[in-house]
Amino acid sequence: MPIEVYLNFNGNTRDAVEFYAEVFETDTPQIMTFGEAPQNPDYPLPEESKNLVMHARLDLNGSRVMFSDTFPGRPFVEGNNINLSFQSNNVEEIQAVYNKLKEGGQVGMELQETFWSKCYGSLTDKFGIHWMFNHDNGEEM
């Protein structure tokens, strides 16, 4: 599977996704907000984050590009808002690549099961590149 690009924005993801969909003449994007995601009662979602975009995806000229707003309280630095996303349908492959890239780097989120993935995690490698890892079960989100 190809490495994919994941772009983060500071509260204006919906505008960006709609703009890029128009520019590249794609289908209307499906957008999931933080408020639409399953909620954890131990970590209530701040009201101001409920309408922010948790995930959107566009197919731009043969490349899948994913989008999200940064969560309130998380740092946003324009220019550092690009992640590479390693997608695989093989959990062992995800674990192997993750473990190699985390050597000398900094873990953002250990590999774990989430509501959208059997295996998800994130890290910044020793060269400062931000990576996301996601089990791809073939289902559309």
Side-chain angles (χ1 to χ4, degrees):
M1 299 192 135
I3 302 295
E4 298 174 344
V5 177
Y6 207 109
L7 304 174
N8 296 110
F9 294 85
N10 196 21
N12 59 343
T13 297
R14 185 177 301 274
D15 293 338
V17 170
E18 290 171 354
F19 172 75
Y20 294 128
E22 184 178 320
V23 167
F24 291 97
E25 300 178 356
T26 69
D27 292 334
T28 302
Q30 292 184 355
I31 296 175
M32 179 183 197
T33 66
F34 285 105
E36 293 170 326
Q39 302 301 303
N40 182 337
D42 296 331
Y43 302 98
L45 191 63
E47 194 63 38
E48 68 272 14
S49 66
K50 289 184 178 178
N51 289 322
L52 293 176
V53 174
M54 180 179 177
H55 179 78
R57 187 184 82 208
L58 292 174
D59 292 317
L60 303 179
N61 202 32
S63 295
R64 183 170 17 187
V65 179
M66 296 173 284
F67 304 81
S68 179
D69 281 312
T70 53
F71 197 75
R74 293 262 173 113
F76 175 84
V77 179
E78 193 169 310
N80 287 346
N81 54 327
I82 299 172
N83 296 275
L84 297 179
S85 180
F86 182 82
Q87 311 269 343
S88 176
N89 59 7
N90 181 320
V91 172
E92 291 78 24
E93 180 181 34
I94 293 170
Q95 291 168 334
V97 173
Y98 177 91
N99 288 332
K100 290 175 185 175
L101 284 173
K102 81 175 185 179
E103 291 297 320
Q106 183 175 355
V107 171
M109 183 176 175
E110 290 289 347
L111 291 175
Q112 58 191 271
E113 187 169 342
T114 64
F115 76 87
W116 71 86
S117 177
K118 184 163 76 170
C119 184
Y120 175 83
S122 64
L123 61 81
T124 302
D125 71 20
K126 65 183 177 182
F127 298 105
I129 302 300
H130 304 286
W131 290 89
M132 300 166 69
F133 301 83
N134 195 51
H135 178 262
D136 185 341
N137 63 4
E139 294 179 11
E140 292 293 322
M141 187 168 156

